[in-house]
Amino acid sequence: MKIIFASQNQKKTEEIRSLLPKGFILENLLDLNIEDDIPENEPTIEGNSAFKARWVFQKFGLPCFADDTGLEVLALNGEPGVHSARYAGAARSDQANMDLLQLNLKDKADRSAQFKTVITYCDQDQELQFTGIVSGRISEEAKGEHGFGYDPIFEPEGLERTFAEMDLAEKNNYSHRARALAQLLSFLKKM
Ligand code: IMP
C-alpha cells in the first residue's frame, strides 16, 4: 500500500520509513514533485495538521498523513504554539525564536511547557488524529548540540537535561513526535 507523508522533510521521512510495517511504501511531497509549501494558516496545531492531510488527499486521492507540532508554554498562555516555527519572524530562525521566548519568560516564575504533535491520517473512508505530548520546562540556559528548534532549552519532566543534550534515540524515548507516530504506526499495522 502506498501512503503519502505531507512533508518535504527528508529526515523525518526516512525516520518514519524505517519504522513502517512491511508492505507500506512511503512517499513525501518531494517524491511527488511538490516543492511549494502547503499553507499553514489555521489557528490551531490540530487545524494545520488536518488542513495539510486533506490538501494532499484531495490532490492525489491516496492514503496520506501530515504532522504539525508546537511548543506550548503555560505562562505565555500556550504561545508560541501554532506559531512555533515563525515565533520571531518569517525567517524561521531557531536562535531568534529561543531568544524571544527567553525574553518573554524573563519575569515568569513558572517555566512549564509542553511539546505537542498532532498527526492527521486521511483516506477515502476516514480521517483520524493522533496526539503526542511531552511535558517539561524551559531551561534558563541553552544546553546541548543535538536536535533542532527549541531542543536546547526544553527539559522533559523529571530530567535536568535538554533534548539537545540527547541523541535522537534517547530523545525518541520521550518525544511528542515519537509518541504520536507510535499511535499512527499501531493503527497502520491493524489495516
Ligand atoms: P513542525 O510542525 O514539525 O514543522 O514544527 C514547527 C516548529 O516547532 C519547528 O519549526 C520547531 O521550531 C518546533 N519544533 C517541532 N518539533 C520540535 C522538536 O522536536 N524539538 C524542538 N523544536 C521543535
Side-chain angles (χ1 to χ4, degrees), residues 13-45:
T13 308
E14 278 315 315
E15 195 181 306
I16 298 171
R17 217 173 246 149
S18 74
L19 297 168
L20 273 177
K22 270 210 173 80
F24 284 92
I25 299 166
L26 186 68
E27 292 197 339
N28 68 18
L29 296 184
L30 296 180
D31 298 319
L32 297 166
N33 297 318
I34 306 276
E35 288 181 6
D36 299 333
D37 286 339
I38 305 176
E40 294 193 38
N41 298 326
E42 299 300 312
T44 60
I45 295 168

PDB file of all heavy atoms in Angstrom, residues 13-45:
ATOM      1  N   THR A  13      11.041  11.875   6.942  1.00  0.00           N
ATOM      2  CA  THR A  13      10.514  10.800   6.076  1.00  0.00           C
ATOM      3  C   THR A  13      11.315   9.519   6.260  1.00  0.00           C
ATOM      4  O   THR A  13      10.748   8.431   6.403  1.00  0.00           O
ATOM      5  CB  THR A  13      10.561  11.234   4.590  1.00  0.00           C
ATOM      6  OG1 THR A  13       9.924  12.498   4.463  1.00  0.00           O
ATOM      7  CG2 THR A  13       9.861  10.218   3.698  1.00  0.00           C
ATOM      8  N   GLU A  14      12.639   9.645   6.279  1.00  0.00           N
ATOM      9  CA  GLU A  14      13.497   8.459   6.442  1.00  0.00           C
ATOM     10  C   GLU A  14      13.238   7.780   7.782  1.00  0.00           C
ATOM     11  O   GLU A  14      13.172   6.556   7.882  1.00  0.00           O
ATOM     12  CB  GLU A  14      14.980   8.861   6.355  1.00  0.00           C
ATOM     13  CG  GLU A  14      15.504   9.003   4.948  1.00  0.00           C
ATOM     14  CD  GLU A  14      15.081   7.846   4.036  1.00  0.00           C
ATOM     15  OE1 GLU A  14      15.170   6.677   4.451  1.00  0.00           O
ATOM     16  OE2 GLU A  14      14.618   8.125   2.915  1.00  0.00           O
ATOM     17  N   GLU A  15      13.091   8.632   8.822  1.00  0.00           N
ATOM     18  CA  GLU A  15      12.850   8.109  10.163  1.00  0.00           C
ATOM     19  C   GLU A  15      11.546   7.291  10.183  1.00  0.00           C
ATOM     20  O   GLU A  15      11.496   6.170  10.700  1.00  0.00           O
ATOM     21  CB  GLU A  15      12.735   9.310  11.103  1.00  0.00           C
ATOM     22  CG  GLU A  15      12.836   8.990  12.564  1.00  0.00           C
ATOM     23  CD  GLU A  15      12.672  10.283  13.380  1.00  0.00           C
ATOM     24  OE1 GLU A  15      13.405  11.256  13.134  1.00  0.00           O
ATOM     25  OE2 GLU A  15      11.786  10.304  14.252  1.00  0.00           O
ATOM     26  N   ILE A  16      10.502   7.825   9.557  1.00  0.00           N
ATOM     27  CA  ILE A  16       9.201   7.142   9.565  1.00  0.00           C
ATOM     28  C   ILE A  16       9.259   5.891   8.683  1.00  0.00           C
ATOM     29  O   ILE A  16       8.744   4.836   9.049  1.00  0.00           O
ATOM     30  CB  ILE A  16       8.083   8.104   9.107  1.00  0.00           C
ATOM     31  CG1 ILE A  16       7.995   9.271  10.083  1.00  0.00           C
ATOM     32  CG2 ILE A  16       6.748   7.377   9.009  1.00  0.00           C
ATOM     33  CD1 ILE A  16       7.090  10.396   9.653  1.00  0.00           C
ATOM     34  N   ARG A  17       9.922   6.030   7.522  1.00  0.00           N
ATOM     35  CA  ARG A  17      10.060   4.886   6.599  1.00  0.00           C
ATOM     36  C   ARG A  17      10.672   3.674   7.318  1.00  0.00           C
ATOM     37  O   ARG A  17      10.236   2.549   7.151  1.00  0.00           O
ATOM     38  CB  ARG A  17      10.981   5.310   5.455  1.00  0.00           C
ATOM     39  CG  ARG A  17      10.581   4.764   4.132  1.00  0.00           C
ATOM     40  CD  ARG A  17      11.434   5.378   3.026  1.00  0.00           C
ATOM     41  NE  ARG A  17      10.655   6.215   2.141  1.00  0.00           N
ATOM     42  CZ  ARG A  17      11.104   7.283   1.489  1.00  0.00           C
ATOM     43  NH1 ARG A  17      12.357   7.688   1.653  1.00  0.00           N
ATOM     44  NH2 ARG A  17      10.319   7.966   0.686  1.00  0.00           N
ATOM     45  N   SER A  18      11.682   3.956   8.167  1.00  0.00           N
ATOM     46  CA  SER A  18      12.390   2.860   8.837  1.00  0.00           C
ATOM     47  C   SER A  18      11.501   2.171   9.870  1.00  0.00           C
ATOM     48  O   SER A  18      11.802   1.072  10.315  1.00  0.00           O
ATOM     49  CB  SER A  18      13.665   3.391   9.494  1.00  0.00           C
ATOM     50  OG  SER A  18      13.320   4.129  10.646  1.00  0.00           O
ATOM     51  N   LEU A  19      10.408   2.822  10.263  1.00  0.00           N
ATOM     52  CA  LEU A  19       9.540   2.258  11.305  1.00  0.00           C
ATOM     53  C   LEU A  19       8.262   1.629  10.750  1.00  0.00           C
ATOM     54  O   LEU A  19       7.526   0.960  11.469  1.00  0.00           O
ATOM     55  CB  LEU A  19       9.132   3.373  12.291  1.00  0.00           C
ATOM     56  CG  LEU A  19      10.273   4.019  13.070  1.00  0.00           C
ATOM     57  CD1 LEU A  19       9.797   5.284  13.774  1.00  0.00           C
ATOM     58  CD2 LEU A  19      10.831   3.039  14.104  1.00  0.00           C
ATOM     59  N   LEU A  20       7.995   1.863   9.447  1.00  0.00           N
ATOM     60  CA  LEU A  20       6.721   1.376   8.879  1.00  0.00           C
ATOM     61  C   LEU A  20       6.685  -0.137   8.756  1.00  0.00           C
ATOM     62  O   LEU A  20       7.702  -0.769   8.474  1.00  0.00           O
ATOM     63  CB  LEU A  20       6.529   1.966   7.478  1.00  0.00           C
ATOM     64  CG  LEU A  20       5.861   3.332   7.392  1.00  0.00           C
ATOM     65  CD1 LEU A  20       5.823   3.791   5.944  1.00  0.00           C
ATOM     66  CD2 LEU A  20       4.452   3.315   7.956  1.00  0.00           C
ATOM     67  N   PRO A  21       5.493  -0.729   8.948  1.00  0.00           N
ATOM     68  CA  PRO A  21       5.385  -2.176   8.756  1.00  0.00           C
ATOM     69  C   PRO A  21       5.648  -2.557   7.293  1.00  0.00           C
ATOM     70  O   PRO A  21       5.508  -1.723   6.398  1.00  0.00           O
ATOM     71  CB  PRO A  21       3.935  -2.477   9.122  1.00  0.00           C
ATOM     72  CG  PRO A  21       3.287  -1.207   9.525  1.00  0.00           C
ATOM     73  CD  PRO A  21       4.238  -0.080   9.329  1.00  0.00           C
ATOM     74  N   LYS A  22       5.995  -3.840   7.086  1.00  0.00           N
ATOM     75  CA  LYS A  22       6.237  -4.367   5.720  1.00  0.00           C
ATOM     76  C   LYS A  22       5.003  -4.123   4.858  1.00  0.00           C
ATOM     77  O   LYS A  22       3.892  -4.193   5.340  1.00  0.00           O
ATOM     78  CB  LYS A  22       6.474  -5.879   5.790  1.00  0.00           C
ATOM     79  CG  LYS A  22       7.903  -6.256   5.970  1.00  0.00           C
ATOM     80  CD  LYS A  22       8.170  -7.633   5.295  1.00  0.00           C
ATOM     81  CE  LYS A  22       9.634  -7.958   5.317  1.00  0.00           C
ATOM     82  NZ  LYS A  22      10.057  -8.485   6.620  1.00  0.00           N
ATOM     83  N   GLY A  23       5.235  -3.848   3.553  1.00  0.00           N
ATOM     84  CA  GLY A  23       4.089  -3.713   2.648  1.00  0.00           C
ATOM     85  C   GLY A  23       3.672  -2.266   2.435  1.00  0.00           C
ATOM     86  O   GLY A  23       2.875  -1.983   1.554  1.00  0.00           O
ATOM     87  N   PHE A  24       4.206  -1.332   3.243  1.00  0.00           N
ATOM     88  CA  PHE A  24       3.876   0.081   3.036  1.00  0.00           C
ATOM     89  C   PHE A  24       4.995   0.774   2.272  1.00  0.00           C
ATOM     90  O   PHE A  24       6.173   0.582   2.584  1.00  0.00           O
ATOM     91  CB  PHE A  24       3.680   0.797   4.377  1.00  0.00           C
ATOM     92  CG  PHE A  24       2.367   0.492   5.030  1.00  0.00           C
ATOM     93  CD1 PHE A  24       2.252  -0.551   5.942  1.00  0.00           C
ATOM     94  CD2 PHE A  24       1.233   1.233   4.714  1.00  0.00           C
ATOM     95  CE1 PHE A  24       1.030  -0.841   6.534  1.00  0.00           C
ATOM     96  CE2 PHE A  24       0.016   0.947   5.305  1.00  0.00           C
ATOM     97  CZ  PHE A  24      -0.089  -0.096   6.214  1.00  0.00           C
ATOM     98  N   ILE A  25       4.607   1.552   1.249  1.00  0.00           N
ATOM     99  CA  ILE A  25       5.598   2.366   0.533  1.00  0.00           C
ATOM    100  C   ILE A  25       5.299   3.818   0.872  1.00  0.00           C
ATOM    101  O   ILE A  25       4.175   4.294   0.639  1.00  0.00           O
ATOM    102  CB  ILE A  25       5.474   2.149  -0.988  1.00  0.00           C
ATOM    103  CG1 ILE A  25       5.735   0.684  -1.313  1.00  0.00           C
ATOM    104  CG2 ILE A  25       6.420   3.062  -1.756  1.00  0.00           C
ATOM    105  CD1 ILE A  25       5.310   0.308  -2.707  1.00  0.00           C
ATOM    106  N   LEU A  26       6.280   4.493   1.466  1.00  0.00           N
ATOM    107  CA  LEU A  26       6.062   5.877   1.901  1.00  0.00           C
ATOM    108  C   LEU A  26       6.695   6.840   0.902  1.00  0.00           C
ATOM    109  O   LEU A  26       7.875   6.729   0.584  1.00  0.00           O
ATOM    110  CB  LEU A  26       6.694   6.082   3.287  1.00  0.00           C
ATOM    111  CG  LEU A  26       6.413   7.435   3.927  1.00  0.00           C
ATOM    112  CD1 LEU A  26       4.948   7.567   4.297  1.00  0.00           C
ATOM    113  CD2 LEU A  26       7.267   7.637   5.177  1.00  0.00           C
ATOM    114  N   GLU A  27       5.887   7.793   0.415  1.00  0.00           N
ATOM    115  CA  GLU A  27       6.421   8.855  -0.442  1.00  0.00           C
ATOM    116  C   GLU A  27       6.119  10.193   0.217  1.00  0.00           C
ATOM    117  O   GLU A  27       5.095  10.318   0.904  1.00  0.00           O
ATOM    118  CB  GLU A  27       5.767   8.808  -1.822  1.00  0.00           C
ATOM    119  CG  GLU A  27       6.175   7.565  -2.583  1.00  0.00           C
ATOM    120  CD  GLU A  27       5.902   7.642  -4.063  1.00  0.00           C
ATOM    121  OE1 GLU A  27       5.052   8.454  -4.480  1.00  0.00           O
ATOM    122  OE2 GLU A  27       6.548   6.874  -4.792  1.00  0.00           O
ATOM    123  N   ASN A  28       7.007  11.176   0.016  1.00  0.00           N
ATOM    124  CA  ASN A  28       6.710  12.503   0.557  1.00  0.00           C
ATOM    125  C   ASN A  28       6.461  13.482  -0.590  1.00  0.00           C
ATOM    126  O   ASN A  28       6.402  13.087  -1.762  1.00  0.00           O
ATOM    127  CB  ASN A  28       7.801  12.965   1.524  1.00  0.00           C
ATOM    128  CG  ASN A  28       9.131  13.231   0.829  1.00  0.00           C
ATOM    129  OD1 ASN A  28       9.198  13.391  -0.396  1.00  0.00           O
ATOM    130  ND2 ASN A  28      10.186  13.287   1.619  1.00  0.00           N
ATOM    131  N   LEU A  29       6.297  14.760  -0.267  1.00  0.00           N
ATOM    132  CA  LEU A  29       5.907  15.727  -1.297  1.00  0.00           C
ATOM    133  C   LEU A  29       7.014  15.931  -2.336  1.00  0.00           C
ATOM    134  O   LEU A  29       6.720  16.200  -3.497  1.00  0.00           O
ATOM    135  CB  LEU A  29       5.543  17.070  -0.653  1.00  0.00           C
ATOM    136  CG  LEU A  29       4.324  17.037   0.264  1.00  0.00           C
ATOM    137  CD1 LEU A  29       4.007  18.435   0.773  1.00  0.00           C
ATOM    138  CD2 LEU A  29       3.101  16.456  -0.450  1.00  0.00           C
ATOM    139  N   LEU A  30       8.263  15.762  -1.929  1.00  0.00           N
ATOM    140  CA  LEU A  30       9.356  15.915  -2.895  1.00  0.00           C
ATOM    141  C   LEU A  30       9.309  14.773  -3.902  1.00  0.00           C
ATOM    142  O   LEU A  30       9.542  14.978  -5.096  1.00  0.00           O
ATOM    143  CB  LEU A  30      10.713  15.953  -2.183  1.00  0.00           C
ATOM    144  CG  LEU A  30      10.913  17.149  -1.251  1.00  0.00           C
ATOM    145  CD1 LEU A  30      12.287  17.084  -0.593  1.00  0.00           C
ATOM    146  CD2 LEU A  30      10.744  18.471  -1.983  1.00  0.00           C
ATOM    147  N   ASP A  31       8.979  13.555  -3.437  1.00  0.00           N
ATOM    148  CA  ASP A  31       8.839  12.417  -4.361  1.00  0.00           C
ATOM    149  C   ASP A  31       7.735  12.700  -5.383  1.00  0.00           C
ATOM    150  O   ASP A  31       7.740  12.165  -6.490  1.00  0.00           O
ATOM    151  CB  ASP A  31       8.482  11.129  -3.601  1.00  0.00           C
ATOM    152  CG  ASP A  31       9.570  10.724  -2.609  1.00  0.00           C
ATOM    153  OD1 ASP A  31      10.752  10.844  -2.970  1.00  0.00           O
ATOM    154  OD2 ASP A  31       9.237  10.309  -1.480  1.00  0.00           O
ATOM    155  N   LEU A  32       6.751  13.527  -5.000  1.00  0.00           N
ATOM    156  CA  LEU A  32       5.622  13.835  -5.893  1.00  0.00           C
ATOM    157  C   LEU A  32       5.823  15.176  -6.611  1.00  0.00           C
ATOM    158  O   LEU A  32       4.893  15.723  -7.205  1.00  0.00           O
ATOM    159  CB  LEU A  32       4.332  13.886  -5.076  1.00  0.00           C
ATOM    160  CG  LEU A  32       3.962  12.555  -4.408  1.00  0.00           C
ATOM    161  CD1 LEU A  32       2.883  12.752  -3.356  1.00  0.00           C
ATOM    162  CD2 LEU A  32       3.495  11.540  -5.433  1.00  0.00           C
ATOM    163  N   ASN A  33       7.050  15.693  -6.526  1.00  0.00           N
ATOM    164  CA  ASN A  33       7.407  16.960  -7.172  1.00  0.00           C
ATOM    165  C   ASN A  33       6.598  18.165  -6.700  1.00  0.00           C
ATOM    166  O   ASN A  33       6.349  19.093  -7.464  1.00  0.00           O
ATOM    167  CB  ASN A  33       7.305  16.848  -8.707  1.00  0.00           C
ATOM    168  CG  ASN A  33       8.290  15.832  -9.221  1.00  0.00           C
ATOM    169  OD1 ASN A  33       9.434  15.785  -8.777  1.00  0.00           O
ATOM    170  ND2 ASN A  33       7.833  14.988 -10.135  1.00  0.00           N
ATOM    171  N   ILE A  34       6.183  18.151  -5.430  1.00  0.00           N
ATOM    172  CA  ILE A  34       5.516  19.331  -4.849  1.00  0.00           C
ATOM    173  C   ILE A  34       6.568  20.068  -4.033  1.00  0.00           C
ATOM    174  O   ILE A  34       6.972  19.600  -2.968  1.00  0.00           O
ATOM    175  CB  ILE A  34       4.360  18.922  -3.897  1.00  0.00           C
ATOM    176  CG1 ILE A  34       3.376  17.999  -4.587  1.00  0.00           C
ATOM    177  CG2 ILE A  34       3.685  20.142  -3.294  1.00  0.00           C
ATOM    178  CD1 ILE A  34       2.337  18.662  -5.409  1.00  0.00           C
ATOM    179  N   GLU A  35       6.992  21.212  -4.563  1.00  0.00           N
ATOM    180  CA  GLU A  35       8.044  21.944  -3.846  1.00  0.00           C
ATOM    181  C   GLU A  35       7.506  23.170  -3.122  1.00  0.00           C
ATOM    182  O   GLU A  35       8.187  23.762  -2.298  1.00  0.00           O
ATOM    183  CB  GLU A  35       9.174  22.306  -4.806  1.00  0.00           C
ATOM    184  CG  GLU A  35       9.927  21.031  -5.146  1.00  0.00           C
ATOM    185  CD  GLU A  35      11.103  21.199  -6.068  1.00  0.00           C
ATOM    186  OE1 GLU A  35      11.442  22.347  -6.383  1.00  0.00           O
ATOM    187  OE2 GLU A  35      11.655  20.161  -6.476  1.00  0.00           O
ATOM    188  N   ASP A  36       6.249  23.550  -3.426  1.00  0.00           N
ATOM    189  CA  ASP A  36       5.660  24.702  -2.725  1.00  0.00           C
ATOM    190  C   ASP A  36       5.218  24.252  -1.334  1.00  0.00           C
ATOM    191  O   ASP A  36       4.843  23.094  -1.141  1.00  0.00           O
ATOM    192  CB  ASP A  36       4.413  25.199  -3.462  1.00  0.00           C
ATOM    193  CG  ASP A  36       4.771  25.662  -4.867  1.00  0.00           C
ATOM    194  OD1 ASP A  36       5.934  26.070  -5.055  1.00  0.00           O
ATOM    195  OD2 ASP A  36       3.905  25.584  -5.752  1.00  0.00           O
ATOM    196  N   ASP A  37       5.254  25.197  -0.380  1.00  0.00           N
ATOM    197  CA  ASP A  37       4.758  24.884   0.964  1.00  0.00           C
ATOM    198  C   ASP A  37       3.234  24.784   0.941  1.00  0.00           C
ATOM    199  O   ASP A  37       2.574  25.588   0.278  1.00  0.00           O
ATOM    200  CB  ASP A  37       5.140  26.004   1.945  1.00  0.00           C
ATOM    201  CG  ASP A  37       6.628  25.946   2.291  1.00  0.00           C
ATOM    202  OD1 ASP A  37       7.230  24.870   2.125  1.00  0.00           O
ATOM    203  OD2 ASP A  37       7.162  26.987   2.718  1.00  0.00           O
ATOM    204  N   ILE A  38       2.676  23.822   1.664  1.00  0.00           N
ATOM    205  CA  ILE A  38       1.220  23.797   1.855  1.00  0.00           C
ATOM    206  C   ILE A  38       0.904  24.892   2.865  1.00  0.00           C
ATOM    207  O   ILE A  38       1.617  25.027   3.867  1.00  0.00           O
ATOM    208  CB  ILE A  38       0.750  22.429   2.404  1.00  0.00           C
ATOM    209  CG1 ILE A  38       1.231  21.302   1.494  1.00  0.00           C
ATOM    210  CG2 ILE A  38      -0.762  22.388   2.548  1.00  0.00           C
ATOM    211  CD1 ILE A  38       0.894  19.909   2.026  1.00  0.00           C
ATOM    212  N   PRO A  39      -0.143  25.707   2.616  1.00  0.00           N
ATOM    213  CA  PRO A  39      -0.438  26.797   3.564  1.00  0.00           C
ATOM    214  C   PRO A  39      -0.657  26.269   4.978  1.00  0.00           C
ATOM    215  O   PRO A  39      -1.234  25.199   5.160  1.00  0.00           O
ATOM    216  CB  PRO A  39      -1.756  27.380   3.015  1.00  0.00           C
ATOM    217  CG  PRO A  39      -1.845  26.916   1.610  1.00  0.00           C
ATOM    218  CD  PRO A  39      -1.078  25.645   1.503  1.00  0.00           C
ATOM    219  N   GLU A  40      -0.113  27.018   5.965  1.00  0.00           N
ATOM    220  CA  GLU A  40      -0.314  26.650   7.379  1.00  0.00           C
ATOM    221  C   GLU A  40      -0.930  27.858   8.069  1.00  0.00           C
ATOM    222  O   GLU A  40      -0.274  28.514   8.870  1.00  0.00           O
ATOM    223  CB  GLU A  40       1.022  26.268   8.030  1.00  0.00           C
ATOM    224  CG  GLU A  40       1.633  25.009   7.449  1.00  0.00           C
ATOM    225  CD  GLU A  40       2.786  24.457   8.288  1.00  0.00           C
ATOM    226  OE1 GLU A  40       2.709  24.499   9.524  1.00  0.00           O
ATOM    227  OE2 GLU A  40       3.757  23.984   7.685  1.00  0.00           O
ATOM    228  N   ASN A  41      -2.181  28.150   7.735  1.00  0.00           N
ATOM    229  CA  ASN A  41      -2.814  29.373   8.235  1.00  0.00           C
ATOM    230  C   ASN A  41      -3.902  29.127   9.263  1.00  0.00           C
ATOM    231  O   ASN A  41      -4.612  30.046   9.643  1.00  0.00           O
ATOM    232  CB  ASN A  41      -3.434  30.151   7.062  1.00  0.00           C
ATOM    233  CG  ASN A  41      -2.354  30.565   6.067  1.00  0.00           C
ATOM    234  OD1 ASN A  41      -1.229  30.860   6.475  1.00  0.00           O
ATOM    235  ND2 ASN A  41      -2.669  30.557   4.786  1.00  0.00           N
ATOM    236  N   GLU A  42      -4.059  27.891   9.690  1.00  0.00           N
ATOM    237  CA  GLU A  42      -5.127  27.586  10.647  1.00  0.00           C
ATOM    238  C   GLU A  42      -4.719  28.066  12.044  1.00  0.00           C
ATOM    239  O   GLU A  42      -3.536  28.161  12.347  1.00  0.00           O
ATOM    240  CB  GLU A  42      -5.386  26.072  10.672  1.00  0.00           C
ATOM    241  CG  GLU A  42      -5.831  25.501   9.334  1.00  0.00           C
ATOM    242  CD  GLU A  42      -7.133  26.122   8.846  1.00  0.00           C
ATOM    243  OE1 GLU A  42      -8.081  26.200   9.635  1.00  0.00           O
ATOM    244  OE2 GLU A  42      -7.171  26.536   7.672  1.00  0.00           O
ATOM    245  N   PRO A  43      -5.715  28.349  12.909  1.00  0.00           N
ATOM    246  CA  PRO A  43      -5.382  28.903  14.236  1.00  0.00           C
ATOM    247  C   PRO A  43      -4.909  27.870  15.250  1.00  0.00           C
ATOM    248  O   PRO A  43      -4.524  28.245  16.364  1.00  0.00           O
ATOM    249  CB  PRO A  43      -6.703  29.539  14.685  1.00  0.00           C
ATOM    250  CG  PRO A  43      -7.760  28.837  13.910  1.00  0.00           C
ATOM    251  CD  PRO A  43      -7.148  28.385  12.619  1.00  0.00           C
ATOM    252  N   THR A  44      -4.940  26.574  14.913  1.00  0.00           N
ATOM    253  CA  THR A  44      -4.520  25.558  15.889  1.00  0.00           C
ATOM    254  C   THR A  44      -3.593  24.542  15.222  1.00  0.00           C
ATOM    255  O   THR A  44      -3.585  24.392  13.985  1.00  0.00           O
ATOM    256  CB  THR A  44      -5.738  24.767  16.441  1.00  0.00           C
ATOM    257  OG1 THR A  44      -6.392  24.123  15.338  1.00  0.00           O
ATOM    258  CG2 THR A  44      -6.718  25.665  17.170  1.00  0.00           C
ATOM    259  N   ILE A  45      -2.857  23.818  16.069  1.00  0.00           N
ATOM    260  CA  ILE A  45      -1.982  22.746  15.589  1.00  0.00           C
ATOM    261  C   ILE A  45      -2.845  21.661  14.939  1.00  0.00           C
ATOM    262  O   ILE A  45      -2.521  21.147  13.853  1.00  0.00           O
ATOM    263  CB  ILE A  45      -1.167  22.187  16.780  1.00  0.00           C
ATOM    264  CG1 ILE A  45      -0.236  23.275  17.325  1.00  0.00           C
ATOM    265  CG2 ILE A  45      -0.367  20.954  16.379  1.00  0.00           C
ATOM    266  CD1 ILE A  45       0.408  22.934  18.671  1.00  0.00           C
TER     267      ILE A  45
END
